[in-house]
Amino acid sequence: MSSVESHEEQLSQSDPSPSPNSCSSFELIDMDVGSLYEPVSPHWFYCKIIDSKETWIPFNSQDSQQLEEAYGSGKDCDRRVVPTDGGRYDVHLGERMRYAVYWDELASEVRRCTWFYKGDKDNKYVPYSESFSQVLEETYMLAVTLDEWKKKLESPNREVIMLHNPKLMVHYQPVAGSDEWGSTPTEQGRPRTVKRGVENISVDVHCGEPLQIDHLVFVVHGIGPACDLRFRSIVQCVNDFRSVSLNLLQTHFKKAQENQQIGRVEFLPVNWHSPLHSTGVDVDLQRITLPSINRLRHFTNDTILDVFFYNSPTYCQTIVDTVASELNRLYVLFLQRNPDFKGGVSIAGHSLGSLILFDILTNQKDSLGDVDSKKDLPSIFMDQGDTPTLEEDLKKLQLSEFFSVFEKEKVDKEALALCTDKDLQEMGIPLGPRKKILNYLRTRKNSMGINRPTPQSPAGANMSNIPKESEFCSSTNGTGNGEHLDVGIGQVPVKYPRLIYKPEIFFAFGSPIGMFLTVRGLKRIDPNYKFPTCKGFFNIYHPFDPVAYRIEPMVVPGVEFEPMLIPHHKGRKRMHLELREGLTRMSMDLKNNLLGSLRMAWKSFTRAPYPALQASETAEETEAEPESSSEKPSDVSTEENLVAVKQEAPPIHVGMLNGGQRIDYVLQEKPIESFNEYLFALQSHLCYWESEDTVLLVLKEIYQTQGIFLDQPLQ
């Protein structure tokens, strides 16, 4: 008997049943030992590289059962392709590989697992290969049936497994450097625990996802390849977002699930960073990048420069084409894999991704016809119906003598709409007629809902010619003509592709849309404007997010009001916010009472002694008596007045961009975030992926379109 075997036997004799909390190298479990053999229940796993380490992750119970059924279906099982993870991955049984369907990802190895051993540094278990697991199972079956233990097996990798009894099974790995003439593997290495069956190892096996998909949401990322502080990709972050949504459906839509009214919402990521940086621009940037602070410069080139790329005529077109084509490709692929899908589609964007979606939605085809690019808009909007000709317009302005000049230069109404003051001056038009023509063009554009003076001008054009009327995207007639918001002021012309579907809702997370519109020269959004193909728009942001900006002040610039506060997913406000509001309310009450007392004291001190003023004083005292009669009635009346004002305050109308509903929604900061806003600024911009409050708002608005509401409305 080898030294290790004798050592193991001494251990088993001296302590046949150590406690589960023991620090011994062997982890024992309580199980009934019987002479009857029961086959092991297999479970399917896949291997994923996490932090440069192989980690074996179990399929959920539903997927594992489907894989097992396909495995035992017959001879053609090797050709079977089984969709898993809600249809986002396909498992090829013959190859034992798992492939992503909607995005690019390294294929993962798949195993039908029955036997496991504990890994090197962590407590996670590693499955044996299927062939060696079968050998182990056969050996275990003979040992149980014949009641003959102390079995020793050696794997092809010179790993030794000792089956002492059903409670004690250990594994030895060969030490690197030992040769075939040296010591045997059993004499070296630390023994590790061996387990039979997935039910005996510490691993979470989820039940699976509902098969029914009620709604589809595409999620577009912002700048850079990483989407959170852990430098995870958009795929990983959207996986978290999806997991949070599944948990919230079970807790906040429990009645609808029990009544089988709902299934789940599918979230699919859209990646545009990789196609952009595969154009060769990274190589060009590397040639001109300074060698100092290399990591910081690489981070800048890979992340922050995406904002400048979007303002470039060449790369902006690449980004827009990539996002739109991915949105269409994913939609077609999803319908092919889910032919029974009858739900709607929404889109969501984080940071710069929300701006990209905003521009795409703004330039979709509307009811006026085939509008798919900015340069098509002037002719379509200005040449409709019985519009007068250029000659008639000049005659109306008493400038008919200049028609021959325009005719010689081959300038029609569309070309004239694009002309600047400098262009008219070069054609020989005097100052007075130039001003008349430009003023007429501005007035006509405003009446037609177009506020784009020179969309085709190059980046270096003189922007001082932009008329002041372009500050407003106004609509006077409320028709389709006035419902187009142009966001191209000061921006390079880009041809926007069309989506093959109409999104129902557009969700923006931590969005700089308001800032970009303002920088482009747009100071107001017409309250009657709405997206041509999308009904809803929600601007969701954290109060400390340094990248986020509001939208509603651009629609209603003359009114100051707070954004909508997103309720906490557990109900009510966070405790520190309620405490802060209570203290603020109390200080306001004290301030009002103090001011009232000072006001009355001042009036009594400055009372005039002349008889001629006595009548007016009496009238003032009579009016002031209800306030100064006593402090308590004053408090009550003040509270009643405040309540009356709140009840009588009309609801804020922020236009039709979100169908008449509010647009800006702010999250509640956590208590720890309130201590230092600057410390949590970056984290606040990346917090949306795991925010239950954000996900719950998305689910609530999506299911409201289907007439399904939360079990208990949040306050």
Side-chain angles (χ1 to χ4, degrees):
M1 182 182 296
S2 66
S3 60
V4 174
E5 290 182 2
S6 60
H7 178 64
E8 295 296 335
E9 187 174 0
Q10 292 174 2
L11 281 176
S12 61
Q13 291 176 357
S14 61
D15 190 8
S17 57
S19 64
N21 297 326
S22 173
C23 297
S24 170
S25 301
F26 312 113
E27 182 178 330
L28 307 182
I29 60 172
D30 294 331
M31 57 185 295
D32 295 329
V33 182
S35 59
L36 295 178
Y37 167 77
E38 293 183 2
V40 65
S41 298
H43 195 93
W44 291 75
F45 282 65
Y46 64 92
C47 182
K48 199 166 186 179
I49 306 298
I50 300 178
D51 296 332
S52 302
K53 292 173 56 180
E54 290 187 353
T55 303
W56 286 90
I57 303 174
F59 286 95
N60 61 61
S61 56
Q62 182 180 350
D63 290 342
S64 180
Q65 183 178 356
Q66 290 183 352
L67 290 169
E68 186 64 22
E69 290 175 357
Y71 173 79
S73 60
K75 296 181 179 179
D76 295 334
C77 68
D78 288 345
R79 301 181 181 178
R80 290 284 298 273
V81 177
V82 181
T84 62
D85 300 273
R88 297 180 295 274
Y89 290 88
D90 281 342
V91 172
H92 295 241
L93 280 182
E95 302 176 21
R96 290 293 197 273
M97 298 297 289
R98 173 177 175 265
Y99 297 94
V101 174
Y102 297 104
W103 55 82
D104 293 332
E105 184 179 310
L106 293 176
S108 304
E109 182 185 353
V110 174
R111 281 186 191 175
R112 181 176 180 264
C113 304
T114 52
W115 285 76
F116 308 85
Y117 67 93
K118 187 169 286 189
D120 293 330
K121 298 179 181 179
D122 51 19
N123 291 324
K124 295 182 180 180
Y125 283 86
V126 179
Y128 289 103
S129 65
E130 294 186 31
S131 57
F132 190 65
S133 293
Q134 187 175 359
V135 175
L136 283 171
E137 183 64 19
E138 292 175 354
T139 305
Y140 179 85
M141 179 183 65
L142 291 175
V144 171
T145 305
L146 302 177
D147 196 20
E148 295 180 358
W149 293 93
K150 305 292 183 183
K151 300 291 184 181
K152 175 183 175 182
L153 295 89
E154 185 172 345
S155 71
N157 297 329
R158 301 189 67 193
E159 300 167 339
V160 175
I161 294 88
M162 299 293 299
L163 305 182
H164 294 282
N165 54 59
K167 291 184 178 181
L168 182 59
M169 295 179 287
V170 292
H171 166 104
Y172 295 93
Q173 282 189 327
V175 177
S178 61
D179 52 33
E180 58 182 5
W181 300 103
S183 58
T184 61
T186 58
E187 296 177 344
Q188 301 186 37
R190 175 176 173 269
R192 301 172 188 173
T193 306
V194 175
K195 299 289 185 182
R196 175 179 179 267
V198 70
E199 63 275 4
N200 294 321
I201 65 175
S202 56
V203 64
D204 293 330
V205 179
H206 300 285
C207 297
E209 304 176 13
L211 298 178
Q212 176 185 340
I213 299 177
D214 306 317
H215 203 87
L216 176 62
V217 180
F218 296 116
V219 184
V220 180
H221 65 85
I223 61 174
C227 296
D228 66 354
L229 292 176
R230 288 177 283 176
F231 299 99
R232 297 185 304 168
S233 66
I234 179 64
V235 174
Q236 295 170 306
C237 290
V238 172
N239 287 343
D240 272 356
F241 202 88
R242 188 187 306 109
S243 299
V244 174
S245 72
L246 292 173
N247 294 332
L248 290 175
L249 286 175
Q250 296 176 359
T251 56
H252 292 70
F253 293 87
K254 189 174 182 180
K255 293 181 180 178
Q257 278 196 339
E258 291 176 351
N259 297 331
Q260 297 182 350
Q261 293 178 292
I262 63 173
R264 64 183 174 92
V265 177
E266 180 63 281
F267 297 90
L268 295 180
V270 177
N271 182 17
W272 57 266
H273 181 269
S274 299
L276 170 66
H277 287 261
S278 62
T279 58
V281 64
D282 288 352
V283 178
D284 297 335
L285 285 173
Q286 190 61 35
R287 291 201 301 265
I288 61 176
T289 301
L290 301 182
S292 59
I293 52 175
N294 182 49
R295 291 185 179 181
L296 180 58
R297 297 188 192 278
H298 175 74
F299 173 80
T300 301
N301 292 348
D302 203 34
T303 303
I304 300 178
L305 285 189
D306 286 347
V307 179
F308 298 96
F309 285 141
Y310 191 65
N311 289 312
S312 161
T314 302
Y315 297 107
C316 179
Q317 188 69 59
T318 302
I319 294 173
V320 169
D321 290 343
T322 302
V323 172
S325 62
E326 276 294 285
L327 290 172
N328 290 335
R329 181 188 71 85
L330 292 174
Y331 180 70
V332 172
L333 181 57
F334 178 82
L335 291 183
Q336 291 175 354
R337 297 178 62 86
N338 301 273
D340 299 329
F341 176 71
K342 304 296 182 183
V345 183
S346 295
I347 55 178
H350 176 244
S351 189
L352 183 63
S354 63
L355 176 66
I356 299 170
L357 293 177
F358 185 90
D359 289 346
I360 291 176
L361 288 178
T362 302
N363 292 274
Q364 289 301 291
K365 177 181 178 181
D366 57 14
S367 59
L368 291 176
D370 192 12
V371 182
D372 61 353
S373 67
K374 290 183 176 181
K375 62 183 180 181
D376 296 334
L377 290 173
S379 60
I380 292 176
F381 275 90
M382 299 189 67
D383 293 336
Q384 287 196 2
D386 299 328
T387 55
T389 62
L390 177 60
E391 186 176 5
E392 293 173 348
D393 287 339
L394 294 175
K395 185 177 181 181
K396 186 186 301 183
L397 297 174
Q398 298 180 352
L399 301 174
S400 301
E401 65 270 20
F402 298 105
F403 177 71
S404 58
V405 177
F406 293 124
E407 191 175 21
K408 179 181 178 181
E409 297 289 339
K410 296 183 180 181
V411 175
D412 54 8
K413 289 187 65 173
E414 180 181 355
L416 184 60
L418 302 175
C419 288
T420 63
D421 183 78
K422 185 177 180 181
D423 296 331
L424 296 176
Q425 184 178 1
E426 291 177 353
M427 285 187 285
I429 308 297
L431 178 62
R434 290 204 309 270
K435 295 300 182 182
K436 286 185 178 181
I437 293 173
L438 292 175
N439 182 64
Y440 175 74
L441 292 176
R442 288 198 298 267
T443 305
R444 183 168 181 79
K445 287 180 180 180
N446 287 336
S447 64
M448 299 299 291
I450 292 290
N451 296 293
R452 256 176 66 217
T454 55
Q456 292 292 320
S457 60
N462 185 8
M463 300 306 296
S464 62
N465 294 323
I466 297 180
K468 292 183 179 180
E469 285 79 3
S470 67
E471 295 177 356
F472 299 94
C473 182
S474 60
S475 173
T476 56
N477 53 13
T479 61
N481 292 357
E483 293 178 356
H484 182 84
L485 166 68
D486 173 55
V487 296
I489 297 177
Q491 189 190 26
V492 293
V494 173
K495 184 175 181 180
Y496 287 92
R498 283 207 303 267
L499 303 179
I500 59 178
Y501 52 87
K502 294 183 177 181
E504 293 190 7
I505 306 176
F506 168 36
F507 298 99
F509 307 138
S511 171
I513 293 175
M515 180 269 291
F516 270 85
L517 293 182
T518 303
V519 170
R520 290 172 181 176
L522 190 71
K523 294 187 178 180
R524 184 185 175 189
I525 299 175
D526 180 10
N528 293 322
Y529 171 74
K530 55 186 178 182
F531 292 123
T533 59
C534 184
K535 299 178 182 178
F537 175 37
F538 290 86
N539 182 37
I540 303 169
Y541 61 91
H542 191 282
F544 303 156
D545 190 340
V547 181
Y549 290 81
R550 292 192 62 183
I551 298 294
E552 291 174 342
M554 298 189 69
V555 183
V556 192
V559 182
E560 292 186 4
F561 53 93
E562 296 295 325
M564 292 291 290
L565 186 66
I566 300 177
H568 191 251
H569 66 284
K570 294 183 179 179
R572 298 180 60 86
K573 294 182 181 178
R574 294 184 184 269
M575 186 176 298
H576 71 287
L577 295 179
E578 290 189 347
L579 179 61
R580 182 192 305 169
E581 289 184 0
L583 293 174
T584 304
R585 193 181 304 112
M586 183 167 54
S587 63
M588 290 299 297
D589 292 341
L590 292 174
K591 179 181 177 182
N592 292 334
N593 292 336
L594 180 61
L595 289 177
S597 302
L598 291 175
R599 189 183 302 114
M600 292 308 303
W602 178 257
K603 286 184 178 180
S604 62
F605 179 74
T606 59
R607 181 173 298 155
Y610 302 104
L613 300 176
Q614 191 66 33
S616 61
E617 285 181 13
T618 305
E620 289 179 4
E621 289 178 0
T622 305
E623 293 177 0
E625 276 181 0
E627 296 183 12
S628 60
S629 58
S630 64
E631 294 183 2
K632 188 173 182 180
S634 175
D635 294 342
V636 175
S637 62
T638 303
E639 292 179 1
E640 291 177 354
N641 291 336
L642 289 175
V643 173
V645 170
K646 289 182 179 179
Q647 291 178 350
E648 295 176 0
I652 301 173
H653 182 72
V654 291
M656 299 304 297
L657 195 56
N658 191 25
Q661 301 182 58
R662 295 291 300 273
I663 300 173
D664 293 336
Y665 287 79
V666 60
L667 291 166
Q668 301 179 33
E669 72 272 16
K670 298 177 181 179
I672 191 174
E673 295 173 342
S674 302
F675 290 107
N676 193 321
E677 299 177 1
Y678 296 94
L679 183 62
F680 293 94
L682 180 58
Q683 178 179 334
S684 300
H685 183 59
L686 307 173
C687 72
Y688 306 98
W689 307 115
E690 298 178 354
S691 169
E692 293 93 343
D693 299 348
T694 302
V695 179
L696 186 58
L697 177 63
V698 171
L699 294 177
K700 180 174 73 72
E701 295 301 329
I702 286 176
Y703 279 111
Q704 275 186 359
T705 62
Q706 304 177 16
I708 298 173
F709 302 91
L710 294 169
D711 293 341
Q712 294 181 352
L714 300 177
Q715 297 179 353

